[in-house]
Amino acid sequence: MEEILQGKRILAVDDEHDILETLDELLDMCIIDHAPDYETAKKFLNKSDYDAAILDIMGVSGYDLLKITAHKGIPTIMLTAHALSPDNLVKSIKEGARCYLPKDKISDIAGYLSELLEAEQNNAGKRGKWFSRLRPFFDRKFGPGWRDEHKEFWKDFDETYHISKEDVEKMM
């Protein structure tokens, strides 16, 4: 896991300083630029190239930044606490995020980021490993039937990002 992350340039955007410090600690093998707000992040995106971005949704105009990273082809993880909802999960993926990660799971970010970068390197169509791992969390958090409101989205998502049983077993 650390091999693929070694020396990767990451843009981390969050208005909570402790989250940025935590990302520094958890991703110490990466080169991380921090931005506490939208304007700073936009300046970084205009002057530097990144291997990935980690964006908070609330407080930093995360969806506006996601439009920029998606346009630039920068694989992006949406990291959230206050915008943790089925609607925001769907919106994040529809707008180009490669992963939607609750801040409750930040301790596992190196694994999610390495999977994302590996899928990008291999042009892998199977970018749904993150969701397979987080589905039980979302099921508990959002309750039964939480995917019902966006049935068509989830049908397409499941078909596009299907992970085989063998892939799931390797993750465990």
Side-chain angles (χ1 to χ4, degrees):
M1 168 174 52
E2 274 195 38
E3 288 175 14
I4 196 162
L5 296 177
Q6 193 66 43
K8 294 293 191 243
R9 287 202 54 139
I10 310 297
L11 175 62
V13 186
D14 201 300
D15 58 341
E16 297 178 52
H17 184 70
D18 60 323
I19 294 295
L20 295 174
E21 286 180 355
T22 299
L23 290 171
D24 266 347
E25 291 171 18
L26 295 171
L27 301 172
D28 64 347
M29 70 293 290
C30 299
I31 301 163
I32 301 177
D33 286 336
H34 304 114
D37 55 49
Y38 172 83
E39 288 303 322
T40 305
K42 190 174 173 188
K43 287 177 187 173
F44 275 126
L45 287 165
N46 285 332
K47 73 174 187 166
S48 301
D49 292 323
Y50 292 97
D51 296 297
I54 301 168
L55 308 176
D56 185 22
I57 293 175
M58 305 297 284
V60 297
S61 301
Y63 286 120
D64 293 331
L65 291 170
L66 178 58
K67 287 178 187 164
I68 297 169
T69 60
H71 178 74
K72 290 180 161 271
I74 300 169
T76 302
I77 293 175
M78 299 305 276
L79 181 66
T80 191
H82 301 294
L84 186 59
S85 71
D87 289 339
N88 281 307
L89 191 164
V90 169
K91 181 177 180 176
S92 294
I93 302 308
K94 281 183 173 180
E95 294 192 11
R98 297 289 204 283
C99 179
Y100 178 88
L101 188 64
K103 285 186 179 175
D104 293 0
K105 300 292 184 180
I106 196 171
S107 62
D108 300 324
I109 196 153
Y112 290 106
L113 183 59
S114 64
E115 286 172 3
L116 180 148
L117 292 172
E118 184 178 338
E120 289 297 313
Q121 275 183 354
N122 299 330
N123 286 324
K126 296 181 179 180
R127 293 192 171 120
K129 285 184 180 181
W130 67 273
F131 184 76
S132 295
R133 288 179 38 195
L134 288 171
R135 173 97 189 250
F137 174 88
F138 293 138
D139 288 346
R140 282 190 308 277
K141 185 77 174 174
F142 302 147
W146 68 272
R147 294 179 10 144
D148 293 348
E149 187 176 334
H150 302 281
K151 282 183 183 176
E152 282 304 308
F153 170 84
W154 289 112
K155 182 179 179 272
D156 292 343
F157 183 90
D158 290 342
E159 288 172 5
T160 304
Y161 299 108
H162 175 74
I163 303 296
S164 70
K165 183 179 177 183
E166 292 79 26
D167 287 338
V168 172
E169 288 172 356
K170 287 178 191 173
M171 292 186 283
M172 300 300 175

